[in-house]
Amino acid sequence: MQDLPDWLRKHLHVAYIPGYEFFLSLHVLAKPEHHTSRLHWAEELLTALPAPLLKKLHYFSSMSNQFLDAMDFLAPWEECFEHSVEAALERVQAMDAGEFAQLMIGPVYHPRQLHAWMQGRTDEIFEELKPEHRELLRHPLSTKRSFLELCYDYLPFFQKEERRIEPWLVRAVHEAQEQIKLDPIPFLSQVHPRLKVHENFLQFHKAKTYTFGYSELARIHLRVSTFVAPHLLLGIYDDHISVCLSVDVPGTRATSVIPADFISKMKVFSDPTRTAILKSLLAHPYCTQQLADLHNISEPAVNKHLNLLVDTGFIWSERRGRYVFYRAIASRLEQLAVDLHEFIDMPVPGLVSPPASSHPPERRK
């Protein structure tokens, strides 16, 4: 392979994509406690949003992995998405029912399986899907219309913040381009603590480790964002990959807050009975009465455990007749490794980095 710095200068592309920032802002609103640098913005906006919009936001958050799967609506190599959020929403509008459903659910099921479900050929696996996903597969076009209504209703709120952050994002793009020309390896190495640059390959350490040889890649796309921290977001598109570069905006960076959702998730496993309930819900849906019998505890005690499991996103519920059944979400457990990594990546509470000096330090003799 040719010299790595030269290869990176040719294949590393940096851009600001308003649609990415738009969907990431929705993700932050759906999970504000996890984004300490954006917590104040999210809390203020959530109090300002109309109740019907908030209801839709939480509904589609549950459907689309807290809007992270919506990122795949936008192919990173299509420069039309660099123009506006509206260009991204026009892309969603142009999708057929199958493509929209596939992207909202994420790369979990084969398209043929989804097509069969959309044709009404349901099975046992279909009945185990989240209620939002079953509704999506039964009525994909009306769901798409409702999703777009949410996006256009939210757009004016986002545009107010976009006007504030866009100059910083555009500046970050130009500064990144200059650093890539000057010395691309150190620049790429500091994009995220869990992105490792090696001589012949890149590695991304998430719930599992992803390795990409440079010879396999046509381009690496960097997308600047003020909403992405602390995530290492990796998009994989055949021979293209994308990763977000976090941009700090004055007045938004937090240095001393431990995410409340991380503390709550760790609390789940502090009680052996609660952990046993979660494990049993991985195998089969149960109602409160059944869980009380299964674990030999009272129904009020079961409800107390279930409330925490629901709040932390480990389980979902659905009413069937007079009973509410609960089911664990296996992917949320798999995400724990990423949550731990992100916690480690965050600034140390109470530790504020000193301002960078404009002059190099003096050498000590």
Side-chain angles (χ1 to χ4, degrees), residues 48-60 146 149-150 153:
L49 293 179
L53 197 156
L54 268 178
K55 184 177 180 180
K56 274 190 176 183
L57 186 151
H58 292 302
Y59 178 78
F60 283 106
S146 183
E149 287 172 3
L150 160 70
D153 288 345

Side-chain angles (χ1 to χ4, degrees), residues 270-313:
S270 66
D271 185 286
T273 302
R274 185 163 50 242
T275 306
I277 289 173
L278 177 58
K279 185 173 178 61
S280 64
L281 292 174
L282 284 167
H284 197 278
Y286 290 102
C287 68
T288 303
Q289 177 182 319
Q290 293 169 325
L291 288 168
D293 293 339
L294 185 63
H295 295 281
N296 196 29
I297 58 175
S298 68
E299 290 187 36
V302 169
N303 283 326
K304 184 177 180 181
H305 291 308
L306 290 176
N307 287 338
L308 181 58
L309 291 170
V310 169
D311 289 344
T312 51

